[in-house]
Amino acid sequence: MRQRSIIAITAALAAGSLTLTACGSRDDDGKSSSGDKTTVVIGVDAPLTGDLSALGLGIKNSADLAAKTANKKEYVKGVEFKIEALDDQAQPSVGQQNAQKFISDKEVLGVVGPLNSSVSQQMQKPFSDAGLTQVSPANTGTELTQGDGWKTGNSVRPFKTFFRTATTDEIQGAFAAEYLFSKAGKKKVYLIDDQKTYGAGLAASFKANFTKLGGQIVGTDHVNPDDRDFNAVVAKIKKTGADALYYGGEYPAAAPLSQQLKDSGQNIPLMGGDGIYSGEFPKLNKKAEGDLATSVGKPVEDLPSAKEFIANYKTAGYKDAYEAYGGLTYDATWAVIEAVKLAVEGNDGKVPAEGRKAVLDAMAKVKFDGVTGTISFDEFGDTTNHMMTAYKVTGGAWTPEYSAAPNVS
Amino acid sequence: MHELPQQLANGLILGAMYGLIAIGYTMVYGIVQLINFAHGEIFMVGGFGALTVWLILPGGFALGAAIPLMILGGVVVSVAVATAAERFAYRPLRTAPRLAPLITAIGLSIVLQQAVWMWYPDAKKDRPFPQFDGGPIDVLGANIQRGDLFVLIAAPLCMVALGFFVTKTRSGRGMQATAQDPDTAKLMGINTDRIIVMAFAIGAAFAAIAAVAYGLKNGQVGFRMGFLMGLKAFTAAVLGGIGNIYGAMLGGLVLGVAESLATGYIGDIPGMDLFGGGAWKDVWAFALLILVLLFRPQGLLGERVADRA
């Protein structure tokens, strides 16, 4: 009897924990097709829980908005778009499982996501094998589209199914270096990254371009992205006399890092990439004033093309903000919708039997005016829109300072 | 080398926090030989308990005045969760093989994380925690933040109170007796069930105080914060000699200082610049743990004597 109750309780707890975990990744609506319309599912993969969920939920909602808008406008005749969002928890292994789920669902003709370059690395190969188109709104890791040879000028596209509406870290790092050196007048920079694909790539590009301009990297360090105590590193920065800190990483660690930096009496700005360009950063960091970030595209709020997106997002009543990648996600999702439209038009108004192949073939021809500008893809699957913006925390919120499209040779 | 006082201070602050959490591991292990892997999550819910008190207090309430209430809130939540866990998750398994409660503890830690994630408003991302205004205070060449003073005062006070409790009170002596031999203690008329609940509760209260310190220090609490801190505290408990309450605090301090110094200096040693820095500090912390266990398998203060509780 006693043995039995032990087993029962253990089983109940195990089952309970499994159910709770599963809850996070399930979506509510389960209908497949309505009337005579064909359902086309667009998969969305993003971190919907955890540290980066603010960015992830913005991605999910923006993709949802794009699908709903296409349905409302009947943008592709006879096709009803549906979003299937999976949570990757910012974990590469979970992302790979999600990729398999999308591949096995025959209604999925394209996938939008993920947020993290390290997650994308694990998803590219399965998608490529399955011929399923993936469009990331946020991955900036240069090697994702150009292979590891990009640093030496030997760019080779590793996976023909991968596209992105975000520009690369090569461009982002170069832009940050240019801004910090020329516009902000900082000459001695301490460099820290979190050793993830995104952070390390960004730091590498920043370092190369900053030293090329004549700036000095006075020290480098790496931190663990789960840490929240950086006082030991901060004490090291102090003795180098750096006049700025560049951080390759994301806001959950960048916020306490910046705060501890200023608490130690060093009144120098922390600069980062789009990973810290989140409304959460100044909320978590009381001393964020003056900190800098770069992000892809022009500020969504300033673009006439984005007015409709912002208004529609508000009307749709999403609980979470669209965050840094809202506009790019909308465009990424719209690129898939556009490709489906081209595929359907090339097949007498019906979704082709080989839907995935037709969508992939159509991606090269996609060109439209999106929220963030004109969207089309080059021979690597990279966006042809290289516009970048530098932001500064002023009055507790990010405000745009300077926009440009850096030239990369 | 002029940042040495700063690095030592950073290490001591971090270490005091590890030590406060480690006491919960050590007391529970000392009495029921259970490694309560859900203890990191008990720390985490304490942080959310304290945050809740701050959020329901009227605006304009001074943080200094709110802190006792926040500690109270955190302690109430942590102790409630820990005693409920003891009653419903561990007590039914007390006679089962050791592995069963360990697995339950891991399951429980996932349940607690997910419960906060699901039901605490806006807890899907890190929540800002209130912080003291004003700059740092200079102590012997080291900058100490106002928020960090909290743990520097709380940790020794907690240790003194616990030491008094274990050696001077009836319940404390009952605790020592139960740790030595639960069956004989029971025969001597000690209510061992009550003692075990007490060990869980004291450990949880200390974890909640550590959670307030964590919030004040880092300015945020999040549903995943218990994992890494719990792991470090467990390491501290083993380092100090698991089962020994002073060992837990000492292990925490040693671990904190070791991490701080490793970050600060290992990269400066010629030929070691690849292995220095913030990302390697955990490697050095665990290397230290292995080294200590090689030469002193029972941990720094671990001894099979009567004073373990």
Side-chain angles (χ1 to χ4, degrees):
Chain A
M1 195 58 212
R2 184 158 176 84
Q3 277 300 326
R4 235 198 229 151
S5 72
I6 290 166
I7 293 166
I9 285 169
T10 321
L13 274 168
S17 63
L18 283 173
T19 327
L20 284 168
T21 325
C23 280
S25 54
R26 209 171 293 145
D27 240 356
D28 35 12
D29 42 21
K31 273 186 229 131
S32 70
S33 67
S34 58
D36 50 352
K37 283 185 173 169
T38 318
T39 302
V40 168
V41 176
I42 299 174
V44 177
D45 180 90
L48 306 178
T49 62
D51 294 342
L52 299 168
S53 58
L55 296 170
L57 291 167
I59 288 176
K60 179 189 164 192
N61 294 342
S62 304
D64 185 62
L65 182 63
K68 281 191 180 139
T69 309
N71 290 340
K72 209 167 94 189
K73 285 186 183 167
E74 295 194 36
Y75 192 72
V76 185
K77 287 264 180 310
V79 172
E80 176 87 9
F81 289 99
K82 220 188 84 186
I83 294 297
E84 165 92 32
L86 294 181
D87 178 12
D88 64 25
Q89 300 164 22
Q91 304 282 338
S93 57
V94 183
Q96 196 174 30
Q97 290 165 20
N98 291 351
Q100 297 299 349
K101 278 185 206 152
F102 288 132
I103 289 165
S104 60
D105 181 351
K106 292 294 166 222
E107 287 186 328
V108 176
L109 296 190
V111 176
V112 172
L115 172 69
N116 305 77
S117 294
S118 50
V119 176
S120 225
Q121 279 184 321
Q122 298 297 317
M123 302 178 87
Q124 283 182 313
K125 175 102 173 61
F127 281 145
S128 172
D129 292 347
L132 181 55
T133 303
Q134 176 195 3
V135 189
S136 171
N139 290 162
T140 45
T142 310
E143 61 281 1
L144 292 174
T145 47
Q146 303 181 19
D148 285 328
W150 69 271
K151 283 172 201 157
T152 50
N154 284 325
S155 293
V156 179
R157 186 177 188 183
F159 300 104
K160 63 181 190 324
T161 45
F162 182 82
F163 299 85
R164 58 175 144 203
T165 52
T167 191
T168 62
D169 288 334
E170 188 188 9
I171 294 168
Q172 178 158 217
F175 178 71
E178 199 181 294
Y179 177 82
L180 208 54
F181 188 85
S182 311
K183 299 272 165 196
K186 306 289 183 190
K187 314 290 170 196
K188 291 165 78 182
V189 170
Y190 200 94
L191 187 65
I192 296 182
D193 71 62
D194 66 358
Q195 295 181 306
K196 295 211 281 192
T197 309
Y198 166 74
L202 196 56
S205 168
F206 177 86
K207 187 178 182 179
N209 286 286
F210 194 71
T211 44
K212 208 190 287 169
L213 288 167
Q216 194 192 349
I217 303 287
V218 291
T220 56
D221 207 336
H222 311 282
V223 296
N224 171 353
D226 287 333
D227 257 338
R228 295 294 177 265
D229 183 291
F230 302 105
N231 282 308
V233 177
V234 160
K236 265 168 79 181
I237 301 173
K238 203 168 189 174
K239 66 175 173 183
T240 63
D243 54 16
L245 166 65
Y246 189 81
Y247 176 70
E250 287 137 356
Y251 70 83
L257 174 61
S258 159
Q259 183 164 337
Q260 286 158 22
L261 180 73
K262 275 120 194 188
D263 275 344
S264 75
Q266 303 178 76
N267 203 10
I268 60 175
L270 176 144
M271 186 174 198
D274 52 341
I276 74 165
Y277 174 61
S278 160
E280 293 298 308
F281 178 79
K283 267 190 228 165
L284 291 172
N285 172 10
K286 272 202 171 156
K287 308 216 166 153
E289 207 66 16
D291 282 351
L292 300 156
T294 51
S295 190
V296 280
K298 272 196 174 171
V300 167
E301 293 76 6
D302 290 1
L303 288 167
S305 54
K307 287 227 166 69
E308 195 190 337
F309 165 72
I310 294 171
N312 287 344
Y313 195 94
K314 211 177 248 171
T315 321
Y318 295 111
K319 218 172 81 225
D320 325 272
Y322 51 81
E323 285 279 350
Y325 303 104
L328 291 162
T329 305
Y330 190 91
D331 287 348
T333 317
W334 203 262
V336 175
I337 292 169
E338 200 75 39
V340 170
K341 186 183 167 84
L342 289 173
V344 167
E345 280 167 359
N347 192 44
D348 302 329
K350 284 211 181 88
V351 178
E354 297 239 353
R356 286 181 182 174
K357 188 175 177 305
V359 167
L360 183 58
D361 291 343
M363 282 304 283
K365 288 173 251 162
V366 163
K367 188 169 185 179
F368 62 97
D369 287 320
V371 174
T372 58
T374 304
I375 302 295
S376 62
F377 302 100
D378 66 11
E379 72 268 32
F380 297 108
D382 281 328
T383 176
T384 49
N385 182 0
H386 289 176
M387 189 56 81
M388 301 276 323
T389 301
Y391 297 83
K392 189 185 218 168
V393 178
T394 318
W398 290 110
T399 44
E401 287 277 300
Y402 172 69
S403 294
N407 279 323
V408 236
S409 44
Chain B
M1 289 293 272
H2 69 279
E3 90 269 26
L4 184 63
Q6 186 66 54
Q7 294 290 23
L8 286 176
N10 293 341
L12 285 176
I13 292 161
L14 193 60
M17 213 171 349
Y18 290 160
L20 279 179
I21 311 171
I23 284 168
Y25 276 104
T26 255
M27 294 215 331
V28 167
Y29 184 85
I31 291 176
V32 281
Q33 266 80 54
L34 161 72
I35 293 170
N36 179 12
F37 262 117
H39 190 62
E41 273 61 44
I42 290 177
F43 158 80
M44 181 268 295
V45 296
F48 277 94
L51 177 68
T52 310
V53 170
W54 172 254
L55 293 176
I56 57 179
L57 281 173
F61 210 86
L63 182 55
I67 286 225
L69 294 171
M70 288 165 69
I71 295 174
L72 189 70
V75 167
V76 166
V77 173
S78 282
V79 169
V81 171
T83 48
E86 195 281 326
R87 180 66 191 84
F88 297 109
Y90 300 139
R91 194 180 296 182
L93 294 174
R94 206 176 284 159
T95 51
R98 289 254 196 105
L99 203 54
L102 185 70
I103 294 167
T104 308
I106 293 170
L108 187 65
S109 90
I110 299 171
V111 168
L112 287 174
Q113 273 193 31
Q114 293 292 324
V116 170
W117 176 83
M118 267 175 50
W119 290 310
Y120 196 89
D122 230 6
K124 291 178 180 61
K125 50 201 178 202
D126 289 353
R127 300 253 353 210
F129 200 86
Q131 283 182 290
F132 284 109
D133 292 326
I137 293 158
D138 192 280
V139 182
L140 303 170
N143 278 332
I144 312 275
Q145 303 306 320
R146 280 163 205 267
D148 292 345
L149 286 175
F150 174 80
V151 76
L152 289 179
I153 296 166
L157 278 182
C158 286
M159 284 312 295
V160 170
L162 185 62
F164 179 81
F165 174 79
V166 170
T167 50
K168 295 289 185 317
T169 65
R170 267 182 85 84
S171 304
R173 286 198 295 271
M175 208 173 250
Q176 293 184 46
T178 311
Q180 273 187 40
D181 188 340
D183 292 333
T184 316
K186 211 174 212 166
L187 290 174
M188 297 297 126
I190 294 170
N191 184 347
T192 48
D193 276 342
R194 207 176 59 99
I195 295 287
I196 291 168
V197 170
M198 204 180 281
F200 271 91
I202 293 173
F206 280 24
I209 293 168
V212 173
Y214 179 98
L216 289 174
K217 179 181 179 58
N218 298 327
Q220 52 179 298
V221 289
F223 77 98
R224 295 197 321 159
M225 74 188 211
F227 179 73
L228 195 67
M229 290 300 282
L231 205 61
K232 289 286 174 63
F234 172 66
T235 310
V238 174
L239 191 65
I242 193 154
N244 184 307
I245 51 178
Y246 298 105
M249 185 51 81
L250 179 70
L253 293 176
V254 169
L255 190 67
V257 171
E259 279 186 14
S260 211
L261 295 184
T263 311
Y265 298 108
I266 289 208
D268 294 347
I269 302 171
M272 295 289 278
D273 51 336
L274 258 182
F275 307 108
W280 278 83
K281 67 172 204 279
D282 295 347
V283 176
W284 296 115
F286 282 101
L288 175 78
L289 175 71
I290 292 167
L291 213 68
V292 169
L293 292 185
L294 271 180
F295 294 101
R296 252 190 96 75
Q298 68 273 46
L300 292 173
L301 294 187
E303 280 175 275
R304 301 216 161 270
V305 294
D307 80 347
R308 69 174 194 156

